[in-house]
Amino acid sequence: MKAVIYARYSSDNQREESIEGQLRECTAYCVKNDITILRTYIDRALSAKTDNRPDFQRMVKDSAKGLFDVVIVWKLDRFARNRYDSAHYKALLRKYGVKVLSATENISEGPEGIILESMLEGMAEYYSAELSEKVIRGHTENALKCKYNGGTPTFGYVIDKDMQYQLDPRTAPVVLEIFTRYDQGATMKEIMEEMRQKGVTTVRGKKIDLNFMARLLKNRKYIGEYSYREIVTPGGIPAIVPQDLFDRVQKRLAGNRKAPARHKAEDDYLLTTKLFCGTCGAMMVGESGTSASKGRKYHYYRCVNTKKQKSCNAKHKSIRKTPIENAVVNAVMAKVMDDNFVEYIADTVMDIQTRESSVLPALRHQLEETERGITNMLNAIQMGIINASTKQRLDELEDRKADIELQIIQEEMKHPMLTREDVTYWICRFRTLDVSKLEERRRLIDSFVNSVTVFDDYILITFNYKEGEERLDFTDIESSDLQSVGGPTLSEKPSEMAVFLHLSLNFIGIYGPWRYNMGVASVSEYVASLNEEQQRHTCAFIEFMNAEYPQLTNKISFSMPMWLVGKKMNEGYVAVSAAKNHFSIHFSDEEFLNDLAESLPNCKKGKRCINIKYGDEQSLRAVEESIRDFLKIYGSEGSSSR
């Protein structure tokens, strides 16, 4: 019998068995009952109340492949706390011939086993609901008395020993001043800057930001209104702001929401992290400036060494943004529209998949040899050639066959294969892009361009495939514009496209530093796409960054979890990505990265990143400590202070 193990741990219930404990007991159960374990699925710090469990959903999806017979859980409440969800997913698994077994709950087959299983699931659901109800009941009792119900205290108030709200003599006047200044016509940004200059911080000691300002100006607690769920008590707590002042502020906030934006959004620089100076090798970053005579705004890329050390003597220390971006987009579209290019990539992928999956052909060859040996032994037995050694040899061959078949299954689960149709379809999709749209131009560049290097007389575009380069003269660049390029109508998605879209950019070495997880839209999607080891280390770093630096903006950029020091990447960033044997911490500052790499002998420096081997905790701690130093380089808005 072949099985997989599913384990889940909820961080809000410390009494539950740890992941390691669950795996240990499930493994012992499998050994005792002669069950073969193919793999494990683990969701850490996730509740069974939600379907947003990446590995659980992956397990359900894998059950359709017919690779395993049972799912082993420590207890049934690890599978689902809601009996209706439990019944739904168990029915889905049964459809594919898969059962759910508990390693610690002895449930027999037959009607009595069904009753017991339902009872255990019902008890788990009841316990969860009862606990939630008790918490709500306690909070409701507090709310009726206008008492503090936990969480971060509201700015402007302190909580006394009786859990009642009292005015904070230090911060309550600040709240009133903020409301008054906004009512007088000051913007939230202006007020924020004023408060920062005065040293005002949040309850947690962090710098105040625009989100803090927006929440504060909308908070009805400041007019004395206490609220919890459906309970609203006017005058339940001391008021800081008069009602008429609060109403005027809300009116102005509503008017500002309807008004057009004060300024246009800042331009995006599509070649950020990909554009380099050919003279000194430094990165070129996006900047803008305004003409003193005509007042016209210009956008361009500039070598960072001309900003910091003034050491670069390149002919083109800066280059206009639009012409070079247009030239790169046109060069990529020319490749995509070339059928020979499509065929080359498809051929390369097929070849590399074969080489990358060399384990499978070897295993299949071993299986054929073993089966041939078994056939020979059976023929010998039929001819009457049988003795103790014959029987022993046959048993050995049968055991070896079972072991090889298991290895083949495990390898197939690790390396789903792409078809030639998948590869061709994915590339041809780019032919239909509207290259006048920012996001579609960005997608094109991110997918196919590794780097762009600016030399004195030409630029060199390096594509994300072997020996993929194109040289463009500056006359070609200056004349570039975005002309519409037509393309063929695509056929329907192939049946395995869902798998392909996840793996298409992982062309096993064809694609450059941004080849992994190109299609993810959120941090959770990125984490879900990783294997168990990658998830463990990446999640730990994400939790560290979010806990230590909550003021930083966290987003997916270049399909990696990234923390922006400023509002955009060219203002500084820290990012993390996972590879096969290591994970990488990316920094926007090359000089800082070089200094860091010198202090870490066990780590290799990559392109704008430091690579940390899985398990190298000493280097990881050193990198984490260095992040604080990295942030000191930048001001509050992310502009370099060097």
Side-chain angles (χ1 to χ4, degrees):
M1 185 181 293
K2 300 180 179 66
V4 297
I5 296 173
Y6 176 71
R8 178 184 59 81
Y9 174 68
S10 301
S11 60
D12 59 346
N13 192 341
Q14 300 299 322
R15 293 176 299 174
E16 296 178 9
E17 284 288 291
S18 67
I19 291 292
E20 291 71 23
Q22 293 180 43
L23 295 179
R24 185 170 55 253
E25 295 205 34
C26 290
T27 302
Y29 176 85
C30 291
V31 171
K32 181 180 178 181
N33 293 276
D34 197 25
I35 298 173
T36 303
I37 302 172
L38 295 183
R39 66 165 292 179
T40 58
Y41 299 88
I42 299 173
D43 285 316
R44 299 179 184 270
L46 294 173
S47 173
K49 294 180 180 180
T50 175
D51 286 341
N52 187 24
R53 293 182 281 162
D55 253 28
F56 180 84
Q57 295 299 335
R58 195 174 293 116
M59 176 200 64
V60 173
K61 185 177 179 180
D62 287 346
S63 68
K65 300 176 183 178
L67 301 174
F68 52 88
D69 307 305
V70 294
V71 175
I72 309 294
V73 294
W74 174 61
K75 285 186 177 181
L76 290 173
D77 65 358
R78 300 299 85 204
F79 185 77
R81 266 184 203 165
N82 183 300
R83 56 187 164 207
Y84 302 106
D85 285 345
S86 176
H88 168 73
Y89 285 112
K90 284 180 179 178
L92 189 60
L93 292 175
R94 281 197 298 272
K95 178 182 175 183
Y96 303 120
V98 178
K99 297 191 300 183
V100 179
L101 297 179
S102 170
T104 58
E105 297 160 325
N106 186 20
I107 301 174
S108 62
E109 298 286 342
E112 66 278 7
I114 296 174
I115 293 174
L116 176 58
E117 185 174 340
S118 299
M119 184 181 70
L120 291 171
E121 291 173 348
M123 286 175 63
E125 183 182 356
Y126 170 77
Y127 169 76
S128 178
E130 185 187 35
L131 183 63
S132 177
E133 188 178 320
K134 285 180 178 177
V135 171
I136 293 173
R137 192 184 304 126
H139 285 176
T140 301
E141 289 297 319
N142 285 342
L144 293 171
K145 301 174 185 177
C146 298
K147 288 187 175 183
Y148 171 66
N149 260 328
T152 304
T154 303
F155 184 86
Y157 293 96
V158 293
I159 309 301
D160 63 20
K161 63 180 182 179
D162 297 322
M163 306 303 287
Q164 297 285 349
Y165 286 86
Q166 301 296 341
L167 297 181
D168 184 352
R170 184 177 60 88
T171 58
V174 176
V175 174
L176 182 58
E177 183 182 357
I178 290 173
F179 272 86
T180 303
R181 290 282 294 118
Y182 191 77
D183 181 49
Q184 292 171 348
T187 66
M188 280 193 270
K189 187 174 182 180
E190 290 170 347
I191 301 171
M192 178 190 73
E193 295 295 342
E194 292 173 8
M195 296 299 116
R196 285 183 173 184
Q197 290 176 5
K198 293 179 180 180
V200 177
T201 61
T202 69
V203 174
R204 296 186 180 275
K206 305 294 183 181
K207 285 185 178 180
I208 64 173
D209 53 21
L210 291 176
N211 288 331
F212 170 86
M213 297 294 300
R215 291 194 302 271
L216 184 144
L217 291 170
K218 296 175 185 176
N219 196 336
R220 297 185 64 85
K221 272 194 174 77
Y222 296 127
I223 56 174
E225 184 177 288
Y226 180 100
S227 65
Y228 173 77
R229 296 170 71 88
E230 291 82 20
I231 300 172
V232 178
T233 308
I237 60 177
I240 299 176
V241 179
Q243 182 72 56
D244 58 340
L245 174 59
F246 185 86
D247 292 341
R248 290 196 302 271
V249 166
Q250 304 315 302
K251 186 176 180 180
R252 186 183 172 199
L253 288 171
N256 288 344
R257 283 197 297 269
K258 297 175 182 178
R262 185 178 293 268
H263 302 289
K264 287 185 176 180
E266 295 183 83
D267 288 81
D268 287 285
Y269 293 83
L270 300 179
L271 297 179
T272 300
T273 75
K274 294 180 181 286
L275 189 64
F276 298 89
C277 175
T279 301
C280 67
M283 185 184 296
M284 300 183 74
V285 298
E287 288 190 348
S288 63
T290 304
S291 167
S293 59
K294 297 181 179 180
R296 183 181 299 174
K297 195 171 185 179
Y298 295 92
H299 303 275
Y300 52 91
Y301 292 93
R302 187 178 185 89
C303 174
V304 295
N305 279 342
T306 66
K307 300 173 59 174
K308 296 179 180 178
Q309 296 92 356
K310 313 288 185 184
S311 58
C312 182
N313 59 358
K315 180 180 178 182
H316 300 282
K317 296 180 178 64
S318 62
I319 185 169
R320 288 198 294 144
K321 170 183 182 292
T322 299
I324 192 171
E325 288 182 356
N326 288 351
V328 173
V329 168
N330 284 338
V332 176
M333 284 302 294
K335 292 285 185 185
V336 172
M337 299 300 294
D338 185 354
D339 290 339
N340 292 328
F341 169 79
V342 177
E343 292 298 316
Y344 168 78
I345 294 295
D347 289 340
T348 307
V349 173
M350 296 298 102
D351 178 60
I352 290 179
Q353 279 194 142
T354 303
R355 286 189 274 117
E356 280 290 315
S357 306
S358 58
V359 176
L360 274 174
L363 288 172
R364 292 190 177 109
H365 178 71
Q366 293 176 29
L367 183 61
E368 290 176 2
E369 292 290 326
T370 304
E371 289 176 337
R372 193 176 297 114
I374 292 173
T375 301
N376 292 338
M377 295 302 297
L378 292 174
N379 290 337
I381 292 172
Q382 289 180 348
M383 295 172 62
I385 307 173
I386 183 170
N387 50 45
S389 62
T390 306
K391 180 65 168 65
Q392 182 181 350
R393 178 58 179 162
L394 182 61
D395 290 341
E396 290 174 354
L397 289 170
E398 291 285 0
D399 290 341
R400 178 167 173 75
K401 179 184 176 182
D403 184 57
I404 294 172
E405 287 176 337
L406 176 60
Q407 291 182 55
I408 290 174
I409 291 172
Q410 291 173 328
E411 194 66 24
E412 287 176 341
M413 291 179 70
K414 290 180 188 175
H415 303 288
M417 299 291 285
L418 305 177
T419 68
R420 188 181 187 86
E421 184 186 19
D422 290 337
V423 179
T424 302
Y425 175 84
W426 181 80
I427 297 174
C428 288
R429 288 181 68 209
F430 287 91
R431 295 179 174 181
T432 62
L433 294 183
D434 182 355
V435 293
S436 65
K437 294 181 178 179
L438 176 65
E439 288 305 316
E440 301 209 352
R441 291 163 64 196
R442 186 193 307 279
R443 183 180 164 203
L444 193 71
I445 291 174
D446 289 350
S447 299
F448 292 99
V449 178
N450 183 289
S451 64
V452 181
T453 307
V454 181
F455 294 94
D456 286 348
D457 302 318
Y458 64 95
I459 70 166
L460 186 67
I461 303 174
T462 305
F463 296 100
N464 281 323
Y465 63 94
K466 190 177 181 181
E467 299 176 358
E469 291 183 347
E470 183 165 338
R471 172 172 168 162
L472 296 178
D473 295 331
F474 277 93
T475 53
D476 299 325
I477 297 170
E478 292 299 324
S479 62
S480 293
D481 60 4
L482 292 177
Q483 300 177 355
S484 61
V485 182
T489 302
L490 298 179
S491 59
E492 292 295 318
K493 264 185 193 180
S495 58
E496 295 298 320
M497 186 52 61
V499 176
F500 170 66
L501 289 177
H502 173 65
L503 299 172
S504 57
L505 284 178
N506 189 7
F507 280 169
I508 321 168
I510 293 180
Y511 281 73
W514 310 111
R515 67 182 183 268
Y516 298 103
N517 306 306
M518 248 359 225
V520 299
S522 65
V523 174
S524 60
E525 283 186 26
Y526 179 87
V527 171
S529 69
L530 307 178
N531 63 37
E532 183 182 341
E533 184 172 42
Q534 292 170 335
Q535 283 186 359
R536 183 167 65 253
H537 292 86
T538 305
C539 285
F541 184 78
I542 291 172
E543 291 171 1
F544 163 79
M545 288 295 297
N546 291 341
E548 292 293 320
Y549 309 107
Q551 75 276 17
L552 298 184
T553 303
N554 183 211
K555 60 184 289 188
I556 286 288
S557 191
F558 287 97
S559 296
M560 301 184 295
M562 181 176 289
W563 293 264
L564 301 182
V565 176
K567 295 179 180 179
K568 300 192 301 182
M569 278 183 60
N570 61 304
E571 295 179 344
Y573 64 82
V574 179
V576 62
S577 64
K580 185 177 180 181
N581 299 314
H582 68 268
F583 66 109
S584 304
I585 311 299
H586 304 254
F587 295 93
S588 54
D589 193 303
E590 191 75 23
E591 183 182 344
F592 173 85
L593 189 60
N594 290 335
D595 294 340
L596 177 61
E598 290 180 2
S599 66
L600 298 171
N602 296 330
C603 298
K604 290 184 178 179
K605 178 180 173 294
K607 195 171 184 180
R608 296 176 298 281
C609 67
I610 197 79
N611 299 326
I612 307 172
K613 293 181 180 179
Y614 294 128
D616 186 1
E617 295 297 324
Q618 185 176 354
S619 297
L620 175 60
R621 297 287 86 80
V623 172
E624 288 178 346
E625 290 174 5
S626 72
I627 292 173
R628 194 175 302 278
D629 296 330
F630 172 75
L631 296 180
K632 290 179 182 177
I633 298 172
Y634 297 87
S636 59
E637 298 299 325
S639 57
S640 177
S641 60
R642 279 183 172 176

